[in-house]
Amino acid sequence: MINLLILLHIYFVSFTDKPEKSAPALSPRAIAQRTQWNIVTDEKDYPVCTLYKDSLRKMGVRIHHESRWFNGVTCEMKEETAQRVLQLSFVDGVEMTRDSTNMSSQKAPARQYTTSPLYTDKQQAVYNLHPLHQAGFQGQGILMAVCDGGFYNADTLSCFRDSLALGHFDFTDDKDDFFGPTGNHGTCCLSAISGIAEGYHGAATQAQYYLMRSEEYATESPKEMDNLVAALEKADSLGVNIFSVSLGYSSFDNPDWTLPKSALDGRTTRVSMAATIAARKGMLVCVAIGNEGDKPWETLSVPADADSVLTVGAVDTLRTIGVFSSHGPSADGRVKPDVCAVGVRTTLINSLGQIVQSNGTSFATPLVAGLAACLWSALPTENAMQIRERIIRSADRYTTPDAQLYGYGIPDAWVAYTMNPAAVDYSFTEIEAPRKILRGGQILILHHGQVYNVAGQRVE
């Protein structure tokens, strides 16, 4: 399928302030959860100024979506218009995020899947999810968002017939139907969470969820990162508890925009900062680390570098790391991935309703998101960071993390559920919990940007 090239460039225009503060852009559910977990409403919760947006529209600017967290808009305009916009008194900056001259005109090749008679019990046993299911915890009361590039047939497949889907949102420029043949990838990721078929049971089939699309198949550009920011912000406004995203960015059609590896520190790109903001707002964000382990890039992508998310690597059912699973640590030395799940020959349901197997950290990620949903349904009074901490502390390498391949290892759902609450009792004010890092072969502790040895002494 060939896409028409868009002749105008895409920009992110940031504003100087937010003069309008009528009400935070949050649903009643989101407000109630903020109250429950003592999360304070701040400047980021108020929408972008309507007057500023209207002023841009009068100049011929087409706004795609806005970001209240970064106080700006993603928009389409001519280069000469961008120069005029930059001169406006309320504009803080103008950044090009997609150059039409560097767009590919072809859709990405379809991912290959292998049909298989194998079902889900074996892969869920790897992280011991069955006891939580048997205790009746399958994600009840948890609201999830699955963000991807395509959900072909997800609205008609019988495996999702009884699922608790609430709706969908498209943050891309793709003009085809949301559930059309743009991509199979999101459908497979969704099946890992909510698919039900003979011999097949997703990880959290009783969770409610929204579907979101941020990946554009006609191009690879920084604009897609801002699409993902918009999806995270929408999920926050809806009161989503768990956000599962199997997308990552490092290189683009325009090579000038390729990220330096020093930027993989969780604090450089908007999308990684947004993932951390989402965590601070009470959401558990699960992100695939990427599939570059056996490629020249080798390391993780963004937003897998974000702080306070669950970055997920891929193992097989024998608990061995997949050769393709991207390597950590983050550029600032934090352990990545955080945990691993089955991403080698993962059993899934594709857009034809077939039970298949495929490889990718993309498929390990929704398994961890589903684990988190089951755990949170069992512990509804805890907050996102406590659930995250339980999962990490339950992992088989927690005391001796591998900062390059396994991270803290493979979690154990039942251990996470039954562990002493005192081990995970901290608030969102301590969101950047102490983390083990590996430096020069020595395990050190990173906390609030400072490095300490295991005895608690500061290390320069």
Side-chain angles (χ1 to χ4, degrees), residues 192-214:
I193 297 171
S194 63
I196 299 177
E198 184 177 354
Y200 187 102
H201 196 86
T205 58
Q206 294 302 304
Q208 294 182 299
Y209 62 87
Y210 289 101
L211 301 180
M212 299 183 179
R213 182 164 69 167
S214 65

Side-chain angles (χ1 to χ4, degrees), residues 297-377:
W297 178 260
E298 192 177 51
T299 192
L300 72 171
S301 54
V302 301
D305 63 328
D307 182 42
S308 305
V309 306
L310 272 178
T311 300
V312 184
V315 295
D316 61 22
T317 55
L318 297 177
R319 308 172 75 90
T320 301
I321 197 74
V323 294
F324 57 83
S325 190
S326 291
H327 300 173
S330 64
D332 57 341
R334 284 172 293 116
V335 172
K336 292 288 180 179
D338 294 296
V339 293
C340 292
V342 176
V344 180
R345 296 182 295 279
T346 314
T347 304
L348 309 158
I349 300 176
N350 69 10
S351 60
L352 299 178
Q354 300 168 324
I355 296 177
V356 298
Q357 287 187 318
S358 190
N359 297 333
T361 59
S362 289
F363 307 128
T365 300
L367 292 178
V368 170
L371 182 164
C374 295
L375 182 61
W376 212 342
S377 68

